[in-house]
Amino acid sequence: MDLRQFLMCLSLCTAFALSKPTEKKDRVHHEPQLSDKVHNDAQSFDYDHDAFLGAEEAKTFDQLTPEESKERLGKIVSKIDGDKDGFVTVDELKDWIKFAQKRWIYEDVEQQWKGHDLNEDGLVSWEEYKNATYGYVLDDPDPVDEFNYQQVMVRDKRRFQMANKDGDLIATKEEFTAFLHPEEYDYMKDVIVQETMEDIDKNSDGFIDLEEYIGWQAYQGGDC
């Protein structure tokens, strides 16, 4: 397909990626916008450009010559072509758009994975995570804010257990991603609700009163 056909196909895939049911989860997580530009293909394909590359990556393309852009786009298209048959399908294009918009999540997981897979066996156990994250606290006989650290560690373990589907407290990379970014996984919604409740319920009575709710909203910088 020529460039115009490719951009039109990209536009249709972008629209499809946006057409999903609205979930009532805005107090926990906001899906990032595909672009802050106006989505009007009659004027330009700037919105689709951002959606396809990710907003930050799209900025780098603006600095390239047409020849450099074509060369880099060719490399990206080869990555999109998952089955390496020389063609980009609609499904492959949709998968790429999702990846481009959540690239920061994958980059965060990769960075943290290296720091927590201590024995480099391709898995992260709870013991590895605990030692890498809280080891300095556990080794200090009189740490500052020990009680707070212990609370956070208990909360982390609960979330780690929830993310670990088989219950062995040894996480695959997918399970570790669910632990670090639970808002991206439907099966993690209960722990998100529980953590949010704990954050708002300052007197720990199991209920959220108006004062607690307003105080939390003010802290979040939101509107009641």
Side-chain angles (χ1 to χ4, degrees):
M1 64 178 71
D2 61 26
L3 183 59
R4 174 93 184 166
Q5 289 174 316
F6 179 77
L7 289 173
M8 287 299 294
C9 182
L10 173 60
S11 177
L12 291 173
C13 290
T14 303
F16 181 90
L18 287 171
S19 61
K20 60 181 182 180
T22 302
E23 299 177 74
K24 186 63 176 179
K25 54 186 293 188
D26 57 339
R27 298 206 183 280
V28 176
H29 173 66
H30 289 276
E31 288 285 349
Q33 295 184 20
L34 296 182
S35 174
D36 58 5
K37 298 181 175 65
V38 176
H39 192 194
N40 186 343
D41 294 329
Q43 295 181 3
S44 74
F45 291 108
D46 288 344
Y47 183 97
D48 305 297
H49 192 207
D50 283 2
F52 176 65
L53 296 170
E56 292 303 316
E57 182 72 11
K59 291 177 183 177
T60 67
F61 266 74
D62 293 339
Q63 312 302 318
L64 301 177
T65 64
E67 292 76 15
E68 290 171 331
S69 295
K70 184 176 180 179
E71 180 181 358
R72 186 176 294 188
L73 184 61
K75 293 178 180 178
I76 292 175
V77 169
S78 68
K79 294 179 181 178
I80 300 172
D81 181 18
D83 56 12
K84 305 303 178 186
D85 65 350
F87 297 91
V88 174
T89 66
V90 172
D91 285 339
E92 286 173 335
L93 197 52
K94 288 189 295 187
D95 288 342
W96 172 261
I97 290 173
K98 292 176 183 177
F99 169 80
Q101 296 307 315
K102 294 185 176 181
R103 183 178 295 166
W104 69 273
I105 292 177
Y106 304 124
E107 291 174 350
D108 177 54
V109 171
E110 286 296 330
Q111 182 179 4
Q112 297 212 42
W113 184 264
K114 294 175 183 177
H116 291 96
D117 182 13
L118 301 181
N119 62 5
E120 299 183 349
D121 66 346
L123 299 166
V124 172
S125 69
W126 167 249
E127 288 300 316
E128 284 180 310
Y129 179 82
K130 181 179 71 174
N131 290 333
T133 306
Y134 300 103
Y136 69 98
V137 177
L138 299 174
D139 293 338
D140 188 343
D142 188 26
V144 177
D145 296 331
E146 178 183 6
F147 179 73
N148 290 336
Y149 279 114
Q150 291 295 334
Q151 278 190 322
V152 174
M153 187 165 63
V154 168
R155 183 160 153 160
D156 270 357
K157 185 174 183 180
R158 181 181 64 203
R159 188 196 286 189
F160 198 94
Q161 288 174 314
M162 180 72 73
N164 192 235
K165 288 185 172 181
D166 54 14
D168 61 1
L169 286 179
I170 300 176
T172 63
K173 186 167 286 187
E174 183 72 13
E175 291 170 335
F176 193 63
T177 304
F179 167 68
L180 294 176
H181 299 280
E183 69 279 356
E184 300 296 331
Y185 293 82
D186 287 341
Y187 79 95
M188 295 293 289
K189 63 184 179 182
D190 288 344
V191 77
I192 293 176
V193 172
Q194 187 171 359
E195 289 179 3
T196 305
M197 281 284 296
E198 291 169 353
D199 290 340
I200 304 174
D201 182 18
K202 295 302 183 183
N203 62 8
S204 302
D205 65 351
F207 298 92
I208 296 175
D209 60 34
L210 182 59
E211 185 177 347
E212 287 172 329
Y213 178 75
I214 292 175
W216 180 73
Q217 280 282 29
Y219 177 77
Q220 295 291 316
D223 297 322
C224 298

